[in-house]
Amino acid sequence: MYQVVPGGAGGTITDGGPIKKKDKDSRPLVGAGVIGAILVIAAVTAWCYYIASLRKADLLKTELLDLNKDGFLIRNQAGGIVLKMGFRSGTLDLDSCSKEGVILRCSRSFAGKVNFFIMTVKPKETVVCYRVRWEELESDRPVQHAMYYNESHWYGGAETAVQHWPIAISGQQAPKPFVTSDVYSNRHDFGGILERYWLSSNATAIKINDSVPFHLGWNDTEKTMYFQARYQNSPYKPAPGRPPYAELSYRVCVGPDVTSIHKVMVRRYFPKPNKVPAKEMFRHPIWSTWALHKTDIDQEKLLTYAENIRKHGFNCSHLELDDRYTSKYGEFEFDTHKFPNASAMFQKLKADGFLISLWTHPFVNYDSANFGPCVQKGMFVMEPTGQLPALVKWWNGIGGILDFTNPEARNWFTSHLRSLRQKYGISSFKLDAGETSYLPWQFRTRVHLPDPSTFTRRYTEMAIPFNERAELRSGYSSQNISCFFRLIDRDSVWGYELGLKSLIPTVLTISILGYQFILPDMIGGNAYPNRTDGNGKLPDRELYIRWLELSAFMPSMQFSIPPWEYDDEVVAIAQRFTELHETLVAPRVIELAGEVLDTGDPIIRPLWWIATSDETAYRVDSQFLIGDDLMVAPVLEPGKQERDIYLPAGRWKSYKGERFDNKEPIHLTDYPVDLDEIAYFEWVQ
């Protein structure tokens, strides 16, 4: 008898008898045995791979994060996915990955060697943070991750020309340098105030590290934002002696709700101001000559302007003498044709109770008497070889831009400002421009700047000696510069593109970025030709009134086009709202400003700040809170004397005396708001 067993072609002898030749009838049995053996081996192999894959999958988990070759996802405590990140520039070789305590580490992608890790940190019991780093170990290879925002709402990033709250991404944009820019010159650029920080309604926050040569892109079809690091075709340059290996590193933090996680991020990662600006800037309006007179300002017009402020019964924090009081840009002496007796003029203004602030900028035009000496002393930003100054074009001509990484240039600039203050009693300065977009694409500074936006930071530091009343319009990591930050110039229009509707989204955005002492530009906008709803000289009357009402509930008010340019009714409305600002708004804002020094929390807050579980609150862009207990709902549409109001759950009292005690949020539809009114509601204890 013969017995066929797995592994034998002819069988195994079991009875010691003679071997006999197989007949044809035994062949099917042999084939079946071979197939059976193969199936058993395959099953065992599959089981081993399955067990190994389970072990690998378990290896690639940390806290609430799951890593795979194509990206990672993060869940909240309830198990819902709050963030999904895809690796777009390469996939990980998972066989190169290992786990060491709280660190997941991989050494290879399918493109080559990398230094990749995710480290888990728990700064608070209710918060989990992940440090993510992907560094290419070969030059000329960018790193790109794609964040899928899907159904969540995102906030932060940058001031933009068309501003929405939450962020509204449209179209497609290849990753471009995320640097400070003048959106008034190029409306598709990022703005003059930006930070590498985004916040989600899913209680997730992302902060890109300062060391990253960071580029941002997006794709509305894919619902993604692209985070990219690269040195090729970019103004970013590696530090001297370091290879141009692209590194994309960032922190992702997840918390119990959006307000809580933002507080954690601000306290850990944002600098904070060390003092509060002059309280008069919160209480009384700033008056600027710009929108009314542009560059045609002169001594007689300035004195008349000041006289009219007092004549019509208005208070004044300070009076701002704007552009073109010098004969050339880059000089610091008054044009004697326009200001024949500047000393007497300032003495008169001081006697009448006016403090004066002067407009200034970082440019020295080529036709200025200071251009040659600045070239000789090497005080300008240079072209890449460092041999010649880099000429730049700005809105008032062509010249050099001072290199604020150079101590000599900083001292030269500051000394001129101090001299003006000493000679004429100037109270402070409006420091205009400062954006990276005014630097050449390739440039050299005294101190190497791996991140071009650091130039903006160096410029904002020039305001520190004057920060009681100083004003800046650009900022990058500048939250601790204790002065007012002004929104970029507004057009005198109603819409979201630098118009009235853009004010609340922009103020909320830069508040989330850590800038709390906010000046929302001039009431009514700048009245530029072809950018004005109205008769051309003045903004539309209704627009002006609605702009005035909204500004009365901002941290500070700024007039330029005066209300008496319209009629007595507009003057009366302006008087009433400046008084309301002084008595109702300013005391709250000043108290909140003191808290900013410790917490960094916004003064102007979105509705979701007190309604974190309210989906509708995440989408409201025409209402805001001052602190937690004053909610404001201005009219922002032409021809309207009513509006829909979203009232979060709570006990509220309207400016008309109505009381609402609602356990759930409610809509007030077609709520009447006359032209001389703004709707606001106070929290009732």
Side-chain angles (χ1 to χ4, degrees):
M1 296 290 295
Y2 294 92
Q3 183 178 5
V4 178
V5 296
T12 301
I13 299 172
T14 59
D15 58 4
I19 299 175
K20 296 182 179 179
K21 187 178 181 180
K22 294 187 292 181
D23 58 24
K24 294 181 179 180
D25 294 337
S26 67
R27 293 176 184 172
L29 295 175
V30 174
V34 172
I35 294 173
I38 293 172
L39 291 174
V40 170
I41 294 170
V44 172
T45 302
W47 179 256
C48 292
Y49 273 111
Y50 174 69
I51 295 299
S53 65
L54 287 179
R55 290 174 179 168
K56 177 63 73 174
D58 186 60
L59 173 72
L60 300 179
K61 292 178 183 289
T62 176
E63 289 286 339
L64 304 171
L65 181 145
D66 293 349
L67 174 68
N68 60 63
K69 66 182 180 64
D70 298 311
F72 63 86
L73 57 86
I74 299 175
R75 293 183 171 86
N76 58 21
Q77 296 289 348
I81 296 175
V82 295
L83 182 76
K84 183 179 179 182
M85 192 76 75
F87 303 147
R88 286 298 180 89
S89 55
T91 57
L92 288 175
D93 179 356
L94 298 184
D95 289 334
S96 73
C97 300
S98 61
K99 187 175 182 180
E100 305 167 14
V102 296
I103 300 178
L104 286 175
R105 192 183 302 276
C106 306
S107 59
R108 291 194 310 273
S109 74
F110 286 100
K113 292 183 178 181
V114 299
N115 176 18
F116 173 84
F117 72 80
I118 297 177
M119 179 178 179
T120 306
V121 181
K122 297 192 73 171
K124 293 181 66 177
E125 186 175 343
T126 57
V127 175
V128 181
C129 294
Y130 306 92
R131 291 180 55 200
V132 182
R133 179 177 179 179
W134 183 308
E135 181 186 15
E136 290 288 345
L137 298 181
E138 294 182 16
S139 60
D140 301 327
R141 275 214 313 248
V143 186
Q144 182 169 307
H145 293 178
M147 184 189 74
Y148 301 87
Y149 55 90
N150 295 329
E151 301 304 318
S152 56
H153 306 294
W154 286 86
Y155 313 91
E159 178 185 23
T160 54
V162 180
Q163 199 90 49
H164 292 285
W165 179 270
I167 295 170
I169 294 175
S170 61
Q172 300 180 23
Q173 173 62 56
K176 62 181 181 178
F178 191 70
V179 296
T180 57
S181 303
D182 179 358
V183 296
Y184 216 85
S185 296
N186 187 339
R187 301 204 173 196
H188 299 290
D189 281 349
F190 304 113
I193 298 176
L194 58 74
E195 299 293 334
R196 303 168 166 199
Y197 174 71
W198 288 267
L199 179 68
S200 164
S201 58
N202 280 338
T204 306
I206 296 179
K207 180 74 166 62
I208 308 294
N209 288 358
D210 295 340
S211 59
V212 175
F214 183 55
H215 299 67
L216 179 68
W218 55 85
N219 187 318
D220 183 40
T221 303
E222 297 181 352
K223 304 296 181 185
T224 56
M225 293 173 63
Y226 301 133
F227 298 155
Q228 187 188 76
R230 75 168 192 264
Y231 289 112
Q232 302 76 28
N233 189 31
S234 169
Y236 294 96
K237 300 300 172 190
R242 294 194 60 184
Y245 296 164
E247 168 211 330
L248 180 58
S249 56
Y250 50 92
R251 289 167 170 80
V252 181
C253 293
V254 182
D257 60 73
V258 62
T259 302
S260 297
I261 195 61
H262 178 65
K263 288 184 176 183
V264 170
M265 300 299 286
V266 168
R267 284 156 177 73
R268 286 177 67 86
Y269 301 123
F270 287 1
K272 297 169 188 64
N274 54 25
K275 61 183 296 187
V276 176
K279 293 181 180 178
E280 288 77 13
M281 287 190 69
F282 296 98
R283 294 192 181 108
H284 304 312
I286 299 164
W287 296 79
S288 169
T289 63
W290 173 248
L292 181 64
H293 294 297
K294 303 295 191 297
T295 59
D296 291 332
I297 187 65
D298 59 29
Q299 183 167 326
E300 182 181 353
K301 290 176 181 176
L302 180 61
L303 290 172
T304 301
Y305 191 45
E307 181 183 342
N308 281 327
I309 293 171
R310 295 295 187 225
K311 174 183 174 182
H312 290 91
F314 289 98
N315 288 319
C316 176
S317 164
H318 61 255
L319 180 56
E320 210 167 66
L321 175 54
D322 213 287
D323 192 354
R324 208 52 192 263
Y325 54 87
T326 61
S327 58
K328 304 291 183 183
Y329 293 105
E331 298 177 359
F332 298 88
E333 288 299 324
F334 280 80
D335 183 338
T336 56
H337 294 288
K338 300 176 75 174
F339 297 89
N341 194 339
S343 295
M345 177 186 73
F346 285 119
Q347 289 173 4
K348 165 68 173 168
L349 290 168
K350 182 179 180 180
D352 291 341
F354 287 97
L355 297 176
I356 305 299
S357 178
L358 292 181
W359 175 80
T360 190
H361 54 85
F363 307 102
V364 179
N365 278 10
Y366 70 91
D367 58 352
S368 164
N370 287 325
F371 185 80
C374 287
V375 171
Q376 292 173 357
K377 295 177 181 179
M379 292 195 294
F380 289 138
V381 173
M382 308 296 281
E383 48 82 39
T385 67
Q387 301 299 310
L388 294 171
L391 292 181
V392 298
K393 183 178 181 181
W394 62 298
W395 67 90
N396 277 330
I398 297 174
I401 183 168
L402 291 167
D403 178 3
F404 293 103
T405 74
N406 181 346
E408 188 174 3
R410 295 167 69 92
N411 292 336
W412 181 85
F413 183 74
T414 304
S415 67
H416 279 292
L417 301 189
R418 291 185 189 278
S419 177
L420 285 168
R421 185 168 65 177
Q422 182 177 2
K423 184 175 182 179
Y424 298 113
I426 302 301
S427 64
S428 193
F429 297 90
K430 171 184 177 178
L431 286 83
D432 214 349
E435 297 89 351
T436 302
S437 58
Y438 286 109
L439 297 174
W441 182 254
Q442 300 294 330
F443 64 91
R444 176 178 291 188
T445 49
R446 179 65 60 90
V447 176
H448 179 73
L449 297 179
D451 179 358
S453 290
T454 306
F455 180 84
T456 297
R457 163 69 198 189
R458 297 285 86 83
Y459 178 60
T460 59
E461 291 168 355
M462 296 296 97
I464 292 175
F466 316 101
N467 60 11
E468 277 285 308
R469 295 175 179 273
E471 175 187 325
L472 289 161
R473 83 167 196 192
S474 58
Y476 178 71
S477 297
S478 305
Q479 295 94 335
N480 64 331
I481 308 297
S482 303
C483 66
F484 272 81
F485 286 82
R486 174 178 64 88
L487 307 190
I488 191 69
D489 299 36
R490 303 285 120 174
D491 291 337
S492 300
V493 297
W494 289 90
Y496 284 102
E497 183 174 347
L498 297 177
L500 178 60
K501 284 186 179 180
S502 72
L503 280 183
I504 296 174
T506 307
V507 169
L508 290 174
T509 296
I510 65 175
S511 293
I512 288 298
L513 298 180
Y515 297 88
Q516 310 309 340
F517 308 140
I518 299 171
L519 189 58
D521 201 43
M522 301 168 192
I523 292 169
N526 284 276
Y528 291 122
N530 304 319
R531 295 179 179 177
T532 300
D533 290 339
N535 62 17
K537 183 178 184 295
L538 294 175
D540 175 73
R541 181 179 185 272
E542 182 186 5
L543 172 67
Y544 183 88
I545 293 171
R546 293 304 191 190
W547 206 305
L548 162 65
E549 293 163 354
L550 172 55
S551 293
F553 285 82
M554 288 293 164
S556 186
M557 301 178 70
Q558 185 176 41
F559 283 101
S560 184
I561 296 170
W564 54 84
E565 289 287 311
Y566 290 93
D567 51 53
D568 290 343
E569 183 184 9
V570 175
V571 171
I573 293 172
Q575 290 169 337
R576 183 155 57 85
F577 273 93
T578 53
E579 182 181 357
L580 184 66
H581 175 84
E582 181 179 352
T583 56
L584 175 68
V585 178
R588 278 180 166 86
V589 169
I590 291 171
E591 181 181 356
L592 292 165
E595 296 174 5
V596 167
L597 309 187
D598 296 322
T599 67
D601 289 346
I603 293 174
I604 305 298
R605 301 173 181 176
L607 261 58
W608 52 251
W609 193 265
I610 61 170
T612 57
S613 60
D614 187 344
E615 170 62 24
T616 301
Y618 287 116
R619 294 181 276 108
V620 175
D621 70 346
S622 62
Q623 300 173 220
F624 60 93
L625 297 163
I626 302 175
D628 289 345
D629 59 359
L630 181 59
M631 195 273 288
V632 187
V635 173
L636 305 175
E637 300 277 352
K640 298 288 187 180
Q641 295 198 30
E642 70 281 325
R643 65 156 291 165
D644 293 345
I645 296 174
Y646 188 71
L647 202 59
R651 302 177 65 187
W652 299 94
K653 179 183 177 182
S654 80
Y655 69 106
K656 298 178 181 180
E658 307 153 308
R659 291 181 177 268
F660 301 88
D661 188 359
N662 47 303
K663 293 183 173 58
E664 299 291 334
I666 60 174
H667 280 95
L668 306 177
T669 57
D670 293 330
Y671 188 83
V673 186
D674 290 343
L675 180 60
D676 63 346
E677 295 179 327
I678 185 171
Y680 62 91
F681 300 76
E682 295 181 83
W683 185 272
V684 179
Q685 297 295 333

